[in-house]
Amino acid sequence: GAGVSQSPSNKVTEKGKDVELRCDPISGHTALYWYRQSLGQGLEFLIYFQGNSAPDKSGLPSDRFSAERTGGSVSTLTIQRTQQEDSAVYLCASSSFGQESGYTFGSGTRLTVV
Amino acid sequence: GIQVEQSPPDLILQEGANSTLRCNFSDSVNNLQWFHQNPWGQLINLFYIPSGTKQNGRLSATTVATERYSLLYISSSQTTDSGVYFCAVAGIQFYFGTGTSLTVIP
């Protein structure tokens, strides 16, 4: 697609439920990143996928968080047993290094845990 | 990881004024970008500028990689420039600064 697509744009869930957030990167971009942004805060790195390499999971805050990227394209971020502190905007970005396109972000998923 | 510091943290401008935002980083990087996050939360890529100077309309940016800083210039500011400006630098992953929150008042 022309841009990075994220779905859903908004998600309200009850504490303790699992949620899945989806990111569809720009076609041909080999790198995909997940960040989250809490209200009024900067961006917190979560996980990074590059091609077929093992992902860099160093930013995942707990083992309730996991992500996968199937076929080198679409990525799903899963949060199990959601907690209120998980409420944030989850942003996905993709890039293709070696080109002067840098990072392109999706519009994010606003997750609210009630 | 790489430390990224942005200044000032907050800035209020009268419409039509000029401003300079600064980004300092702690290590050599192979990528640097400036982003604008609008009031709706959307992150817009302004410049991909690991070194040198680029201009796009009223905005320009300069990165001096050897001295580990980048500057974003906004000239003739408009109310639509309001939002948060982030600098992000990359080794393997991107490291974001905490941003400069800009408010342009009419």
Side-chain angles (χ1 to χ4, degrees), chain A residues 33 35 37 41-43 45 48 56 58 91 97 99-108 110, chain B residues 30-31 33 35 37 40-43 45 48 54 86 88 90-98:
Chain A
Y33 307 78
Y35 285 82
Q37 186 176 30
Q41 302 298 311
L43 277 75
F45 167 75
Y48 161 59
D56 176 356
S58 60
L91 291 156
F97 287 112
Q99 300 179 10
E100 290 199 356
S101 59
Y103 243 31
T104 301
F105 276 90
S107 298
R110 184 175 298 278
Chain B
N30 53 28
N31 191 349
Q33 283 185 259
F35 294 89
Q37 188 168 40
W40 297 271
Q42 178 67 43
L43 276 161
N45 179 17
Y48 169 91
K54 290 186 178 179
F86 288 103
I92 294 177
Q93 62 159 284
F94 265 86
Y95 297 90
F96 281 78
T98 52

Side-chain angles (χ1 to χ4, degrees), chain A residues 21-87:
Chain A
L21 313 180
R22 177 188 168 103
C23 173
D24 198 344
I26 291 174
S27 178
H29 278 191
T30 57
L32 186 148
Y33 307 78
W34 284 98
Y35 285 82
R36 74 175 175 181
Q37 186 176 30
S38 300
L39 187 63
Q41 302 298 311
L43 277 75
E44 175 188 3
F45 167 75
L46 297 177
I47 189 169
Y48 161 59
F49 296 89
Q50 172 62 54
N52 295 321
S53 303
D56 176 356
K57 304 180 181 180
S58 60
L60 295 179
S62 78
D63 58 8
R64 295 187 295 105
F65 287 73
S66 63
E68 62 177 21
R69 188 179 184 192
T70 54
S73 180
V74 173
S75 176
T76 302
L77 177 68
T78 301
I79 308 173
Q80 297 179 309
R81 304 180 302 282
T82 52
Q83 304 295 312
Q84 288 186 330
E85 61 263 29
D86 299 335
S87 296

Side-chain angles (χ1 to χ4, degrees), chain B residues 73-91:
Chain B
Y73 306 95
I74 304 174
S75 64
S76 304
S77 59
Q78 301 177 358
T79 55
T80 51
D81 296 332
S82 296
V84 181
Y85 290 80
F86 288 103
C87 167
V89 302

